[in-house]
Amino acid sequence: MARCFIMASKKPVSPGLRIKDLTFSGVPVRVYEPKTASGEKKRGLVYFHGGGWMFGCIDDYDEVCQYISLESDTIVVSVGYRLAPEHRYPAHLDDCEVVTRHFLSTAATDFEVDPHRVAVGGDSAGANLAAALCQRLSKTPDCHLPSPCAQVLIYPALQMADFHLPSYQQNHSVPILFRGRAAFYFLQYLNGNTSVSQQILEGKHVPVELKLRFKKWLDPDNLPPQFRKGARSPQVIPSHDRDVYHIIKQGLDPEISPLLAEDDVISLAPPTFILTCEFDVLRDDGILFRKRLKDAGVEVTWEHLSDGFHGIISFFNQGWLTFQSSQRGMDSIVRYIRTL
């Protein structure tokens, strides 16, 4: 069931685009095709919208997808994947996978797209799905299909092991994503048991041995110094709550927390674009993922909006609600896609 945001409305179609509502392997999609003619096949982007795995729809991202498609001369496929609470993991990720595989298999014949120039991307929860999908595809390659040529991750949610990172501390009550809501959305995606939200925020859900294992990836010392200002060291918790861990342990799997994947999986990631915002609880997820990718030899392009907040691209071209950083963020995304 699609739950669109209040300000969502289908925008007038740009004269430079053809837009079609279709289904790929049973999943609704909207395809944006630039009308410009060229002597070569176009690039493609499969886009997964944000909304905490619970909200958002194709209409919400019509303005964003039209702009990306038109300005980068790219065919964009916007995916209407299933949502919580009616559907839990792995429904969302499965939908994104079948759409991506469908598009890769039909790109050349049906859309005049070079399947070797198809990227995946999304924002927030959609960026989580894009990162998890790239890891899933890297572990189960199809010899008949190319892998995505890049992943475009816009303020991604990448782990539910540590809600005490500096960005979670510094921006815990900054709209539009509060610290407590981040844990709530992860739990809705996972299994719907939100009764353990407080224990998760307190860090009681991760066994000590796993915390030690994750520390090399989640240590705040891995962040540039400017992002650690004013952050407190987390309280040392000598033991975990076994019942809580049992409820959430699947959430520590890389398919839900891609930042926690092993090094051999991280090294298989495609070239990556990451956009982070200063005033965002998820800021450090993106910065830490950038470090992991770079350490593994993956090419990473990072754009940081020093005056941005979570959800900024959803305010793109929204009249009096538009922010300067939303335009800068969109333009940085377009610049990257043009390089593919």
Side-chain angles (χ1 to χ4, degrees), residues 53 159-160 163 168 177-190 193-194 196-201 248 281-282:
W53 301 279
Q159 57 85 29
M160 61 176 300
F163 291 89
Y168 271 109
L177 180 62
F178 302 141
R179 177 172 176 261
R181 295 303 286 181
F184 173 85
Y185 289 138
F186 264 111
L187 288 167
Q188 287 288 357
Y189 178 38
L190 176 62
N193 190 339
T194 58
V196 297
S197 291
Q198 187 57 40
Q199 291 96 320
I200 287 175
L201 293 174
I248 68 87
V281 292
L282 300 181

Side-chain angles (χ1 to χ4, degrees), residues 104-220:
L104 286 168
S105 66
T106 61
T109 55
D110 294 357
F111 300 98
E112 297 186 353
V113 166
D114 180 350
H116 296 277
R117 298 176 69 201
V118 173
V120 297
D123 62 292
S124 193
N128 170 283
L129 294 169
L133 177 60
C134 283
Q135 292 183 3
R136 178 187 277 192
L137 294 177
S138 74
K139 291 184 286 187
T140 56
D142 185 331
C143 61
H144 301 293
L145 294 176
S147 298
C149 70
Q151 55 182 348
V152 178
L153 310 180
I154 304 164
Y155 30 79
L158 295 173
Q159 57 85 29
M160 61 176 300
D162 189 347
F163 291 89
H164 202 82
L165 291 170
S167 61
Y168 271 109
Q169 295 183 44
Q170 296 159 357
N171 303 301
H172 63 96
S173 344
V174 175
I176 58 174
L177 180 62
F178 302 141
R179 177 172 176 261
R181 295 303 286 181
F184 173 85
Y185 289 138
F186 264 111
L187 288 167
Q188 287 288 357
Y189 178 38
L190 176 62
N191 55 30
N193 190 339
T194 58
S195 66
V196 297
S197 291
Q198 187 57 40
Q199 291 96 320
I200 287 175
L201 293 174
E202 293 172 1
K204 296 178 179 177
H205 61 304
V206 183
V208 172
E209 61 272 20
L210 281 183
K211 285 189 177 182
L212 292 173
R213 177 180 158 199
F214 297 155
K215 181 175 173 60
K216 60 181 176 179
W217 304 327
L218 297 176
D219 194 329

Side-chain angles (χ1 to χ4, degrees), residues 234-247:
Q235 179 183 357
V236 176
I237 298 174
S239 63
H240 70 288
D241 187 315
R242 294 180 182 178
D243 292 336
V244 175
Y245 172 63
H246 179 75
I247 290 169

Side-chain angles (χ1 to χ4, degrees), residues 291-322:
K291 183 181 189 306
R292 288 213 64 197
L293 291 167
K294 287 178 68 69
D295 288 349
V298 177
E299 178 186 331
V300 183
T301 301
W302 177 38
E303 182 77 19
H304 182 67
L305 300 178
S306 59
D307 57 347
F309 57 87
H310 190 83
I312 192 66
I313 69 163
S314 295
F315 293 87
F316 171 72
N317 204 18
Q318 294 295 325
W320 65 272
L321 281 172
T322 302

